[in-house]
Amino acid sequence: MTNNDAAGDAPSSSRASGSKQQPKLEITEKVRVLCLHGYRQNGDAFKNKLGSFRKFASKYAEFVFISAPHVAAALESSADPVPEQRSWWANKDDGTFKGTNKGGPAYGFQESLRLVEETWRTQGPFQGLLGFSQGACFVGLICGLAKKKLTSIRPEFAVLSSGFLSGSLVHMSAYEESITIPTLHIYGQTDEIIPKEMSQALAAQFKNVEILEHSGGHYFPATAQQKQTFINFFQDRLQEYLEHQELQQSGNASFIESGGEDGDGDGDANDAEVAAMTAAAGSGSELGDSD
Amino acid sequence: METTSSSPFKPRQKDKDEDTREEDDAPAAAVAVEHMDTSGEPQKKLLRLSETFEKPQAVKEVRLNDTYQQRELTEWLQSAWTNEKTETKEKQTGAQVFGDPFQICLLPEMLVQGQSQSLVAEITQKVQWSRKQMDLYEFYQSTDLSNMPNCRLLTNFLQVLRKQVRPWLEKVTGLKLDYVSASCSMYTCGDYLLVHDDLLKDRQVAFIYYLTPWEGAEEWTDAQGGCLEIFPSDEQCFPQFPVQRKIAPKDNQFAFFKVGSRSFHQVGEVTTFDYPRLTINGWFHGETNEAFVADSLRAFPRLRYLPPDNINQPPLGLLLNNVYLKSATRRSIQKRIEENSEICLYEFFKRERFEMARSQLMADSNTLKWRRQGPANAHNYEVLDLSTAKGTIQELLQLFRSHAMFDLLRDFTDLDLAGSDADQPTCSVEIQRWSHGNYTVLGDGLVSEENTLDLVYYLNAADGAAVITYLSPDSELPEEKAPGASRRMESEGEDEEDESVLLTITPVDNALNIVYRCEGTTKFTKYVSCNTPLEKGPVFVISCSYKE
C-alpha cells in the first residue's frame, strides 16, 4: 500500500540506515510515534525498556526513539556526569532537574525542542508522541505549544506515562488552552518519584483523555493487564488516521453536480450541495494543495 | 566538578548567601514572617516594615545601591533629563539617558547585589498570575504590589519605590509625583505587548525594573526577544516603523520614561523558550497628563471606499466555480447568512485561477510593490500598491470591485448593493501580505459605523497566520474610549474579549469568507508569532468591505 519504490524496504530499516529525507507523505499501514525518554535515560535504553510494549502495539504502531541533547548533571557533586544519562532540560540553576522543582527558566529547553522538531521533519511522518516522566512532561508541553502554533510539531495523539506539569514559569503559557487530541495517560498508584496526583494534574489539561492506572511505581508498565488498553488505543488511532487519509483523497475530488437546475423544488438538494461545499472539512490547506 | 563538553550546565559558583537562599522551598526568612504565631509576631512584622522606611537594614530587605543616592549622580541625571540630549552615558554607574524620540533613562544595578535573585525566588513561590490576552497583548500579570501581604520582599520593594525612589525621581525629572502603582509582569514564549503610549489620566512617569538573574540570561540577546522597543512618531503623533531603539532585559536594571503623546513603546515578542521575561513595573502618578486630553482627539486613517467599477467586466463564469453561480446555491447562501451573519464558501474560485493568483503573488517579481501599513499602534502588515497588480491578481482585483460582484453579493445577502434600491454602494479592497510579527489591533479605523459586508479570501494559507476575530459591539473595552482615541493600557484591565467574540476566521486556501458586520462590530487580526511556522512563505489576504 506504500508508494515507496524501494523494494522490501520496511520503514524500520530505513530508519536504521539514517534519517532519509522523505519528501512526500507515504501511506503506511501503521501510525508512527516519536518517543521521548525520561530523565537520566536515553533513546536506546528507553527503547529496550519498552520492548514488551512495542510488541503489544506492533500491529498498529511503529516507534522511533531519540536521545536528548543534554547530559544530565552527575548525581553526586564529586562525580563525573555519565554521557548515557540524558536530560531534555534543567529547572534549577545548578543544572539539575526534578519534577517537583518550581522556578523561572527551563535551561536548555529550546535546544531540545528544536531537536524534536528536526526529527519530526526528517524522520517523519509521525502522527503521535509518547513520553515517560520528564519525556511525558515534554510531550504535554509540545501539545500546548502546537495548539498555540508555536512549533512545527503537530501531534494527532499522545501517550504520557508518569508525566507531570512543568514547574517552570516559562512554560505557563503552554498550558493556557485545553488540549483536544486523544491522549492516554499512564501512572502508577505507588509512584514515589512522580506521585499520581501530579500525573492526574497533567491529565486535567486534556479533554480527550483515557487513564490507565497500574499498581506499580515509577516505570512504564507493559504486562498482560495493560495489553488490551494499548492495543485498543493504537488500533483506534490507526483507524482515525486511515479515515483521515481517505477524507483527504475525496476532499480534492471535483464538486457534486447538482441534480436539477434552477427549479424551486430543488431547495433540499441544493442545500445539501451547498452544505458539502461550505462545510467540507477545510483541511486541504494544512497538508498542502495537492491538486 | 567537571562537566563534559556536551553539557551546557555549569554549576553556578556558590556565593556566601547561597545557603540562606532556598529555591525549592519557601525561603526561610519569609516563612518566619508568614507564620501566624501567637507570640506577638504581627507586631514585630509591622516594626520591621516601618524600619525600612528610614533605614533599610538587614540583608533580607530591599536596598537601593548607594551610588544612586549620591548627589553628583542625581545632578547629572537632572541635567541630562532636562537638556533632552540625544544620548548620554554616565561613566561611573553606566546610567544612560536618551532624549530621542522621548526621554528614557536606564539605571543598571539598581539594588544591591543578590537582591534580584531573592525577589525572583519570592515571585516564583508566591505570586499568582492572571493571564492577560487581547488583541494588543498576551502576557501574565500579578495583582498590585500594594495587595500582597504574603510577599515580604515585594511589599518592601513597593515601600522603597514610594519612600525613596519617588522623591528622588521628582528631583531628577522636576515633575510632581504623588503616588506609585506597581505590579509584576511576566512574558513567556510567544507573549508580547503591542505598541501603545501608556497615556492614561494621571500617569506621568512609567518605570520597569528587570529581573533576570539566571545564568545565560543576565542580559538578553536579540534572538531571545522581549526588548522594550521604542518608536518614533510622525507630525500627527502616530507611531511609525521601524523601531528606533531596543532595550534588552538586563538583570537589576531600572528604566523609566516620561509618559506623553509620543511615548510609544512595545514589549517585543519573547522568542526564547528557555527564560521568562520578568519585571516589576508601573507608573508614578501626578497631575492629569495634558497629553492624555489632547490625545483623545486624534483619529486613525481610514480605508478608502469607491463606487463599483462599471468599466471592467471580468467574466464571473470563468473565474468562479459554477456552483456559486446557480440561483439555488445563492438562495442557500442567503439563508445561511440571514441566520448566522456569516458563511465560508470553499473553493470559491476555480482551482487553476487560484493557483495562478497564488504563484503570481509568491513569485519574487519586481513589479508588485508592497508597503507597510501603519500606524504602528493600529497595523503592521504589508499592503499591495494596487496600481502594480497584474495578470490574475489584477483580474481578481477587478472582479471584487466590479458591478457583477456587487450584483452577486446582493443575491447572496439581500443587501442593497445593486439594483433599484441601491443608494450609493461602495467597496474598499486591500491585498495584504502577512508574515511573522504582523498584526492589526482594535482601533477606530476598523469600527464599522454602518452595516458592512466583509469579504476575506486567503491565498497560501497557513495555520496561525492572519487569523481574524470579530467582536460584538457589546464588548466592554477596559477603559472609556473616546472616538478616534487609541487603545490604552491599564495596569489591571478587564478582558471582556472571550465573552464577546462573534467569530474567528481560520485561514483556508481559496475559501471566501463572507461576514455581515452590523454597526459597531470591531475586528482584529491576531499577532503572528515569530515561532509560528510559515513553511510555505507569507500568507496573502484579499480583504474587501462593501457598504450599501
Side-chain angles (χ1 to χ4, degrees):
Chain A
M1 213 162 105
T2 72
N3 297 335
N4 196 348
D5 285 337
D9 219 82
S12 51
S13 51
S14 75
R15 177 168 33 94
S17 65
S19 46
K20 247 188 238 168
Q21 292 256 356
Q22 308 275 1
K24 282 264 179 220
L25 270 176
E26 281 195 322
I27 302 174
T28 56
E29 288 161 301
K30 299 185 193 179
V31 287
R32 299 184 77 242
V33 183
L34 182 54
C35 303
L36 308 180
H37 60 75
Y39 188 56
R40 292 193 192 285
Q41 292 179 325
N42 61 61
D44 287 332
F46 190 44
K47 181 177 171 185
N48 289 335
K49 284 211 145 85
L50 260 51
S52 311
F53 164 77
R54 288 185 291 120
K55 278 211 194 69
F56 290 159
S58 58
K59 191 168 169 201
Y60 311 102
E62 192 188 302
F63 302 92
V64 174
F65 295 83
I66 55 169
S67 293
H70 309 299
V71 174
L75 272 165
E76 305 294 316
S77 53
S78 51
D80 286 337
V82 180
E84 291 77 30
Q85 294 185 356
R86 294 302 175 97
S87 169
W88 297 104
W89 73 90
N91 58 8
K92 198 169 168 188
D93 53 14
D94 60 3
T96 60
F97 180 88
K98 236 186 347 183
T100 48
N101 279 350
K102 278 182 78 176
Y107 304 92
F109 182 86
Q110 183 160 331
E111 195 179 326
S112 291
L113 180 67
R114 296 293 179 230
L115 175 65
V116 178
E117 287 174 344
E118 170 86 3
T119 311
W120 188 271
R121 189 174 60 85
T122 56
Q123 293 190 40
F126 291 103
Q127 289 74 44
L129 288 169
L130 180 150
F132 170 71
S133 198
Q134 189 194 44
C137 177
F138 197 8
V139 168
L141 289 165
I142 292 173
C143 290
L145 292 176
K147 184 103 196 258
K148 296 187 66 170
K149 315 283 187 280
L150 290 177
T151 174
S152 49
I153 304 165
R154 297 287 158 87
E156 290 163 37
F157 63 86
V159 177
L160 302 94
S161 174
S162 300
F164 48 91
L165 294 168
S166 170
S168 301
L169 287 179
V170 70
H171 286 150
M172 269 182 74
S173 58
Y175 295 124
E176 272 306 308
E177 293 177 62
S178 207
I179 312 296
T180 51
I181 59 171
T183 50
L184 175 63
H185 296 257
I186 310 164
Y187 53 82
Q189 283 153 345
T190 58
D191 193 332
E192 284 173 11
I193 296 178
I194 299 296
K196 68 174 184 185
E197 289 76 24
M198 290 180 76
S199 299
Q200 286 165 339
L202 174 61
Q205 276 300 120
F206 294 80
K207 281 210 163 92
N208 189 346
V209 163
E210 190 179 339
I211 304 273
L212 177 58
E213 280 193 20
H214 65 97
S215 53
H218 195 68
Y219 57 84
F220 196 111
T223 67
Q225 283 187 306
Q226 291 87 34
K227 181 172 176 179
Q228 199 54 47
T229 307
F230 291 143
I231 287 175
N232 291 344
F233 183 79
F234 287 106
Q235 193 174 27
D236 288 344
R237 303 291 80 78
L238 178 59
Q239 190 176 346
E240 280 163 9
Y241 171 67
L242 294 171
E243 282 170 5
H244 190 245
Q245 293 294 94
E246 229 180 272
L247 255 175
Q248 285 299 306
Q249 307 298 330
S250 63
N252 297 324
S254 48
F255 309 108
I256 308 160
E257 289 286 20
S258 68
E261 271 299 89
D262 299 336
D264 294 324
D266 273 343
D268 283 340
N270 279 291
D271 272 342
E273 184 180 340
V274 171
M277 294 290 299
T278 61
S283 52
S285 64
E286 198 167 343
L287 293 172
D289 306 300
S290 31
D291 273 358
Chain B
M1 176 182 148
E2 281 177 299
T3 55
T4 63
S5 53
S6 56
S7 166
F9 302 138
K10 291 192 279 280
R12 220 160 43 86
Q13 296 281 45
K14 286 181 184 252
D15 60 19
K16 277 181 288 192
D17 280 337
E18 177 76 65
D19 294 333
T20 59
R21 279 199 311 273
E22 290 136 45
E23 274 139 3
D24 289 316
D25 311 307
V31 168
V33 173
E34 266 180 285
H35 281 168
M36 291 307 175
D37 280 342
T38 52
S39 54
E41 269 294 292
Q43 284 178 332
K44 271 201 207 164
K45 221 196 311 187
L46 278 173
L47 200 61
R48 206 180 305 144
L49 277 179
S50 68
E51 275 174 15
T52 68
F53 294 168
E54 332 300 333
K55 283 181 297 177
Q57 295 176 326
V59 168
K60 301 293 184 192
E61 308 300 334
V62 169
R63 238 169 70 213
L64 286 178
N65 230 319
D66 287 332
T67 37
Y68 290 114
Q69 295 168 49
Q70 288 169 16
R71 208 190 63 203
E72 294 91 28
L73 180 70
T74 312
E75 283 171 0
W76 181 89
L77 282 170
Q78 239 174 338
S79 150
W81 186 266
T82 40
N83 284 343
E84 291 182 24
K85 284 212 178 107
T86 326
E87 188 168 334
T88 179
K89 188 164 180 175
E90 201 276 328
K91 285 205 190 97
Q92 194 203 352
T93 55
Q96 287 180 277
V97 178
F98 304 103
D100 189 39
F102 55 88
Q103 290 141 301
I104 175 164
C105 176
L106 305 178
L107 303 177
E109 307 299 332
M110 180 208 194
L111 302 182
V112 301
Q113 252 233 335
Q115 299 217 315
S116 66
Q117 271 134 343
S118 306
L119 280 164
V120 168
E122 183 175 84
I123 290 172
T124 306
Q125 299 298 328
K126 303 258 187 69
V127 166
Q128 307 275 26
W129 299 100
S130 81
R131 185 73 173 156
K132 298 293 175 190
Q133 205 158 315
M134 287 203 83
D135 56 321
L136 201 60
Y137 48 75
E138 277 197 29
F139 69 104
Y140 289 98
Q141 195 173 50
S142 73
T143 182
D144 199 283
L145 255 56
S146 59
N147 195 19
M148 293 184 174
N150 65 331
C151 295
R152 191 177 56 81
L153 289 176
L154 285 172
T155 305
N156 217 230
F157 187 85
L158 180 63
Q159 297 311 320
V160 168
L161 286 177
R162 281 174 173 167
K163 299 290 172 179
Q164 294 176 56
V165 180
R166 189 185 50 81
W168 180 75
L169 269 185
E170 279 189 318
K171 274 202 224 112
V172 168
T173 62
L175 296 164
K176 181 158 106 56
L177 302 171
D178 298 325
Y179 66 96
V180 60
S181 61
S183 62
C184 301
S185 297
M186 177 168 69
Y187 294 73
T188 63
C189 190
D191 289 348
Y192 54 86
L193 167 55
L194 297 178
V195 61
H196 61 287
D197 54 21
D198 262 16
L199 272 176
L200 190 70
K201 303 175 194 152
D202 58 358
R203 294 175 180 171
Q204 289 287 337
V205 174
F207 75 89
I208 311 104
Y209 175 66
Y210 296 89
L211 294 153
T212 174
W214 310 292
E215 198 175 316
E218 288 97 341
E219 184 164 6
W220 284 35
T221 63
D222 219 46
Q224 291 170 309
C227 285
L228 175 64
E229 298 177 358
I230 308 293
F231 284 76
S233 45
D234 64 12
E235 319 78 48
Q236 291 168 290
C237 292
F238 284 117
Q240 301 298 318
F241 288 102
V243 168
Q244 184 162 341
R245 195 182 307 287
K246 280 180 162 184
I247 292 153
K250 185 171 166 176
D251 187 46
N252 201 13
Q253 172 152 279
F254 184 76
F256 61 91
F257 58 88
K258 173 85 183 73
V259 175
S261 55
R262 289 185 181 282
S263 56
F264 290 103
H265 58 285
Q266 74 181 8
V267 177
E269 183 192 357
V270 171
T271 48
T272 172
F273 287 92
D274 291 354
Y275 301 96
R277 179 193 189 274
L278 202 53
T279 59
I280 302 172
N281 54 282
W283 296 272
F284 292 89
H285 303 250
E287 306 286 1
T288 304
N289 201 316
E290 289 148 18
F292 171 59
V293 177
D295 184 60
S296 53
L297 302 173
R298 278 187 297 141
F300 277 145
R302 295 168 181 277
L303 295 165
R304 272 184 74 217
Y305 283 85
L306 296 170
D309 182 355
N310 283 320
I311 302 167
N312 294 298
Q313 303 288 354
L316 284 189
L318 290 183
L319 291 167
L320 272 61
N321 268 311
N322 294 329
V323 64
Y324 292 115
L325 298 169
K326 296 194 158 69
S327 38
T329 312
R330 299 180 196 191
R331 281 198 292 276
S332 302
I333 294 174
Q334 209 186 85
K335 201 167 86 174
R336 267 282 270 282
I337 292 187
E338 212 176 282
E339 286 164 9
N340 296 359
S341 295
E342 58 91 17
I343 194 170
C344 177
L345 305 178
Y346 293 91
E347 299 300 329
F348 186 68
F349 292 116
K350 291 193 190 325
R351 257 286 142 162
E352 324 84 67
R353 295 294 166 148
F354 159 75
E355 294 290 356
M356 279 170 66
R358 185 174 68 143
S359 43
Q360 284 170 26
L361 285 167
M362 294 286 299
D364 200 29
S365 76
N366 293 324
T367 45
L368 291 178
K369 296 272 177 264
W370 299 90
R371 63 172 173 79
R372 176 131 61 166
Q373 179 73 298
N377 54 346
H379 320 278
N380 179 13
Y381 60 87
E382 290 180 296
V383 149
L384 181 67
D385 178 347
L386 295 177
S387 65
T388 63
K390 277 185 156 59
T392 317
I393 304 166
Q394 191 177 43
E395 260 187 340
L396 293 185
L397 181 61
Q398 284 171 351
L399 170 78
F400 283 114
R401 283 171 161 170
S402 71
H403 212 93
M405 192 60 172
F406 277 75
D407 275 335
L408 188 70
L409 289 175
R410 187 223 20 217
D411 286 346
F412 282 167
T413 66
D414 214 24
L415 287 176
D416 292 327
L417 293 173
S420 50
D421 289 330
D423 188 9
Q424 267 192 315
T426 54
C427 87
S428 77
V429 180
E430 265 193 349
I431 301 184
Q432 309 169 343
R433 184 164 72 178
W434 285 79
S435 185
H436 298 121
N438 289 155
Y439 58 86
T440 70
V441 295
L442 295 170
D444 278 283
L446 301 163
V447 172
S448 46
E449 294 145 342
E450 51 224 308
N451 302 330
T452 314
L453 191 71
D454 281 353
L455 261 54
V456 183
Y457 178 78
Y458 292 95
L459 299 114
N460 209 39
D463 261 346
V467 176
I468 303 176
T469 299
Y470 284 86
L471 299 174
S472 79
D474 301 328
S475 63
E476 284 163 34
L477 297 175
E479 52 284 293
E480 289 116 28
K481 193 157 112 49
S486 53
R487 296 289 313 288
R488 310 229 182 267
M489 267 300 299
E490 262 200 7
S491 56
E492 277 181 54
E494 297 267 330
D495 290 333
E496 298 291 339
E497 187 189 78
D498 286 343
E499 290 158 26
S500 52
V501 171
L502 284 174
L503 162 71
T504 298
I505 296 180
T506 322
V508 172
D509 268 339
N510 202 17
L512 183 73
N513 298 273
I514 302 181
V515 180
Y516 176 64
R517 291 165 62 175
C518 60
E519 191 189 324
T521 310
T522 52
K523 74 174 184 187
F524 71 93
T525 311
K526 189 171 188 315
Y527 173 85
V528 181
S529 165
C530 296
N531 277 310
T532 296
L534 292 178
E535 288 130 3
K536 295 190 293 176
V539 175
F540 299 93
V541 181
I542 303 183
S543 175
C544 314
S545 289
Y546 297 81
K547 296 191 188 183
E548 286 172 299

